Amino acid sequence: MSLRQTAQDLLERLGLVSSATSGTMERQEPSILDNFLRERKASFLSDLYAGSANEWIVVTGNEAGDLDSIASAIGYAFLSSDAKIIPFIQTKRSDLHLRPENILAFSLASLDTSHLLTASDIDRGIQAYTCSYILVDHNRILPTCNGTVLGVLDHHEDEGFHKDAKPRTIQPVGSCASLVTVHFKQRLQGATSGELADIATLLLSAILIDTGGLKAGGKATDVDFEGAELLVPQTGIASTSSMVEIRKKPPSSLDALSHRLAQTKSSVDHLSTSDLLRRDYKEYSIAGLQIGLSTVPIGLKFLVKRDIRGFWSDIDSWITDRSLDILGVLTTYRSKRKNKHRRQLLFLVRPGREQIEKKLFDGIGDDKELACEERRIAGLGARRGRCWRQGNVKATRKTVAPLVRKILEDSNVE
């Protein structure tokens, strides 16, 4: 398919042009990316059950299953020259729908989710088999995996593991997908026009979501802009001339894609509290304690008001079912009246952990970077919890998790 046809197809999928006016036909030939995923999945599972899993390199993102993790894993595996390398998605297949922005990005990249290797596809779990790993969007191998870490590409705080990994790139950029893109710079630059359109669209979508649309003065770094500059020519979504000033103002077509992805990401009002806790969840073992942090794209007031009993019941069950000592709910949303970005924190501590409770709540409340203001929340009752509104809306879980770790490790609370 020509670059012009590829670009036209993507613009039609975004709703920026109609097929009726463009006169182009829908894409007929199978997607190169989709074929790659289908064939690698079948080959990997065949070798896995034949006892040859150790011959494979598994590229995996973190357990939260956000688009950056999944796109980075798929992108690394697809762009690699290794014959036995496959992306592995930590999310269960039944939970893929919890992130509608991922489903949209998969569709734009002509990717059939049935061809993804997920946690649901391996009977005993992938940890029952020894493989080699490339970690993307995290830098410490998860307990769900078993094997040697060959490489790491990540943008979170460096936890100090896998020092011998090559590559080992841990850099505070906006999106891990940008690191993957720049890592395979020569492959992208050497590709013919449109050859890598689908994977470029997937990686670009992840970069746009994680950088807030590549807006100047936002989360995007030089690496993120470089990544976008490498990917856009493959997608054809914007002209080369319109990319000249991308660091000041992204092209309107990129703005449209970013807006649609962000809008889709926030379309989760129908999900239960349990679903919302599960959709973007990470768990940590710190100072002998189990801590869970869920990022939720809806404000606490809405969640409590729509079903106060259901909200607290799901919270209590989540803590009990996972044997958590601490649960943090990190909300990110826009206010309805002024459309301002807001963030809140709700932390709950298992009863009987009074020393932890005081250290944690004081540490969060006094942290200057978060700039928290304590708030009341209906229905808290006798639960050991505290709620705040964040003054610093740029502080995500990447900021909160290291803070919690520092508070607990410095407190000697074991």
Side-chain angles (χ1 to χ4, degrees):
M1 175 175 284
S2 70
L3 179 58
R4 181 174 180 179
Q5 287 174 309
T6 300
Q8 188 69 40
D9 183 66
L10 179 55
L11 292 171
E12 287 174 17
R13 288 166 185 258
L14 286 171
L16 298 180
V17 298
S18 68
S19 56
T21 57
S22 68
T24 60
M25 299 294 289
E26 288 189 14
R27 191 182 301 191
Q28 297 296 319
E29 66 270 26
S31 160
I32 296 173
L33 173 61
D34 203 43
N35 277 342
F36 166 85
L37 294 170
R38 177 177 52 80
E39 291 169 2
R40 288 294 168 95
K41 179 180 177 180
S43 182
F44 173 78
L45 290 176
S46 176
D47 282 355
L48 185 81
Y49 297 124
S52 302
N54 62 330
E55 297 177 2
W56 283 81
I57 298 172
V58 176
V59 189
T60 185
N62 63 53
E63 70 273 38
D66 60 318
L67 185 59
D68 199 31
S69 265
I70 294 178
S72 294
I74 295 173
Y76 193 106
F78 182 77
L79 294 171
S80 171
S81 59
D82 288 293
K84 289 199 171 186
I85 188 169
I86 187 169
F88 173 65
I89 313 305
Q90 300 277 350
T91 308
K92 293 180 180 178
R93 187 171 303 283
S94 58
D95 286 346
L96 289 176
H97 75 283
L98 298 178
R99 288 183 173 274
E101 72 279 13
N102 289 8
I103 302 302
L104 171 60
F106 296 157
S107 174
L108 294 174
S110 303
L111 188 159
D112 184 339
T113 57
S114 70
H115 298 154
L116 293 174
L117 179 69
T118 72
S120 303
D121 295 313
I122 303 175
D123 294 340
R124 293 191 292 152
I126 200 166
Q127 70 271 21
Y129 305 89
T130 302
C131 307
S132 296
Y133 284 90
I134 301 290
L135 308 183
V136 292
D137 208 23
H138 65 306
N139 58 76
R140 181 180 182 179
I141 194 168
L142 295 168
T144 51
C145 301
N146 174 31
T148 303
V149 174
L150 302 180
V152 177
L153 291 179
D154 186 33
H155 63 148
H156 294 85
E157 182 181 51
D158 190 345
E159 296 190 45
F161 291 85
H162 317 305
K163 293 287 191 179
D164 295 331
K166 292 182 181 180
R168 189 179 188 277
T169 303
I170 302 174
Q171 192 173 343
V173 299
S175 170
C176 184
S178 300
L179 294 176
V180 172
T181 300
V182 173
H183 181 73
F184 290 102
K185 182 176 182 176
Q186 289 186 338
R187 171 80 195 276
L188 287 157
Q189 289 179 328
T192 57
S193 295
E195 176 189 348
L196 302 176
D198 292 326
I199 194 60
T201 298
L202 189 65
L203 288 166
L204 180 62
S205 296
I207 292 172
L208 290 174
I209 283 185
D210 266 32
T211 63
L214 291 168
K215 293 290 189 293
K219 296 179 182 179
T221 66
D222 287 343
V223 174
D224 298 301
F225 286 116
E226 182 181 3
E229 289 165 346
L230 287 166
L231 296 170
V232 167
Q234 279 293 323
T235 67
I237 191 174
S239 65
T240 304
S241 60
S242 68
M243 293 291 290
V244 174
E245 298 294 321
I246 187 176
R247 295 171 191 244
K248 296 180 180 178
K249 181 176 173 53
S252 59
S253 53
L254 283 191
D255 277 340
L257 174 55
S258 180
H259 177 72
R260 185 172 174 192
L261 287 163
Q263 191 175 47
T264 304
K265 183 178 180 179
S266 63
S267 301
V268 292
D269 290 5
H270 62 289
L271 296 180
S272 68
T273 298
S274 179
D275 285 341
L276 290 167
L277 291 172
R278 193 166 75 247
R279 72 181 290 278
D280 191 352
Y281 177 74
K282 289 186 179 181
E283 200 163 300
Y284 309 81
S285 294
I286 304 173
L289 304 170
Q290 286 302 114
I291 294 92
L293 298 181
S294 288
T295 299
V296 175
I298 301 178
L300 291 170
K301 184 177 180 180
F302 172 86
L303 292 174
V304 172
K305 189 175 180 179
R306 76 174 181 179
D307 182 6
I308 189 168
R309 285 189 177 184
F311 174 79
W312 288 111
S313 176
D314 283 354
I315 290 284
D316 292 340
S317 295
W318 193 265
I319 293 172
T320 301
D321 293 348
R322 285 156 184 77
S323 301
L324 297 179
D325 295 291
I326 298 169
L327 172 64
V329 181
L330 290 58
T331 73
T332 173
Y333 66 101
R334 289 197 169 273
S335 62
K336 288 189 175 180
R337 191 167 58 181
K338 295 185 179 179
N339 196 37
K340 285 190 174 182
H341 188 197
R342 305 285 191 200
R343 286 188 184 272
Q344 301 161 307
L345 297 175
L346 170 64
F347 270 82
L348 296 112
V349 179
R350 184 183 288 274
R353 298 284 195 174
E354 289 77 12
Q355 183 185 0
I356 296 173
E357 179 185 323
K358 177 171 173 51
K359 294 288 187 181
L360 179 66
F361 293 168
D362 287 351
I364 292 173
D366 294 341
D367 186 71
K368 293 182 179 179
E369 185 174 5
L370 293 182
C372 287
E373 180 182 336
E374 191 172 338
R375 297 288 200 194
R376 297 182 64 182
I377 181 168
L380 181 63
R383 295 176 184 86
R384 314 307 298 176
R386 194 74 59 86
C387 181
W388 300 267
R389 176 172 157 184
Q390 278 184 218
N392 178 11
V393 296
K394 292 184 178 181
T396 67
R397 186 166 51 198
K398 292 186 185 72
T399 300
V400 176
L403 172 64
V404 171
R405 180 180 294 278
K406 184 177 188 305
I407 292 170
L408 297 178
E409 289 180 342
D410 289 352
S411 299
N412 297 314
V413 293
E414 284 192 85

